[in-house]
Amino acid sequence: MTDADGSTPRPRPETLFDALGADYEKAFAGAEAHHASLDWLLGRLAPGSKVLDVGSGTGRPTAEVLAAAGHDVLGLDVSPVMVELAARQVPGARFRLADVREAPLEEEAFDAVTVYFSLLQMTRDEQTALVARAARAARPGGAVVLATVPVDADDVPHVFMGHPVRVSSFAADGFTRLARQAGLTVLEERSVLFTPAHPAGEPEPHLYLHCVREA
């Protein structure tokens, strides 16, 4: 099926992640850099902090690690399968089915906001808008962690874990600039090469930005 202009329509993200389910967790949850990023965040949070996890997936590792440390975690995800898995696996956190491109995010409501690899199926405009909204959801001085695959790609067809998708992203400098334009101070950038634990997994660059919202 094609759109009126002859292009292949963009698959809906919930379709992909409903299909992947727990396989996504198996492929990515063991990433050392992701756990190191969570350690950085834990080192900045006061006891009982409110954390918003945008694109919470199966709840592992982000919500699980943060909830186990005693924080109040709300996860948002567009996939019903992922939300059900997360609620079962991480009963210490709350999860809500929501399309984060449209869901209202209360401003200055959270001590920290995390966005781990949940942008890639959005358009560049949608990514820019979401990062700005995620930044505003953090209180002034609150932590915001962003992670993506930093490639210069604009609505490019791709096969991810055996499933056809269309992806968009920014090169590393462009993504860092996007964060700063959203009102974030980037305290730390970490770039790593990661291979998902999946038969179709190939090495991919990962970029983690550890930020705080400017006062």
Side-chain angles (χ1 to χ4, degrees), residues 2-37:
T2 59
D3 289 336
D5 61 2
S7 63
T8 302
R10 176 184 294 271
R12 295 184 62 84
E14 60 268 34
T15 302
L16 170 66
F17 290 105
D18 281 350
L20 290 176
D23 286 342
Y24 182 85
E25 177 185 317
K26 294 174 185 176
F28 287 91
E32 291 182 4
H34 193 149
H35 286 271
S37 177

Side-chain angles (χ1 to χ4, degrees), residues 46-64:
S49 289
K50 293 180 63 177
V51 183
L52 174 66
D53 183 21
V54 176
S56 47
T58 69
R60 294 173 173 165
T62 303
E64 183 176 62

Side-chain angles (χ1 to χ4, degrees), residues 13 17 24 53-57 76-78 99-101 114-122 126-127 130-131 145-149 168 175:
F17 290 105
Y24 182 85
D53 183 21
V54 176
S56 47
L76 303 180
D77 203 280
V78 72
D99 187 333
V100 294
R101 295 171 299 180
T114 61
V115 187
Y116 283 107
F117 302 104
S118 52
L119 300 171
L120 294 165
Q121 287 195 78
M122 300 180 190
E126 288 170 341
Q127 292 182 39
L130 179 58
V131 169
V145 179
L146 307 172
T148 193
V149 178
S168 297
F175 192 67

Side-chain angles (χ1 to χ4, degrees), residues 113-205:
V113 178
T114 61
V115 187
Y116 283 107
F117 302 104
S118 52
L119 300 171
L120 294 165
Q121 287 195 78
M122 300 180 190
T123 67
R124 285 180 166 180
D125 285 346
E126 288 170 341
Q127 292 182 39
T128 300
L130 179 58
V131 169
R133 291 170 58 232
R136 293 195 298 270
R139 61 170 177 77
V144 178
V145 179
L146 307 172
T148 193
V149 178
V151 295
D152 187 6
D154 188 5
D155 196 28
V156 174
H158 180 62
V159 177
F160 178 72
M161 294 178 63
H163 296 266
V165 296
R166 301 188 71 88
V167 299
S168 297
S169 190
F170 298 86
D173 58 346
F175 192 67
T176 301
R177 184 165 56 251
L178 183 157
R180 289 174 174 149
Q181 290 172 345
L184 299 174
T185 298
V186 179
L187 301 180
E188 181 178 284
E189 303 176 39
R190 183 176 185 189
S191 297
V192 299
L193 194 65
F194 177 74
T195 302
H198 186 271
E202 298 180 352
E204 57 188 45

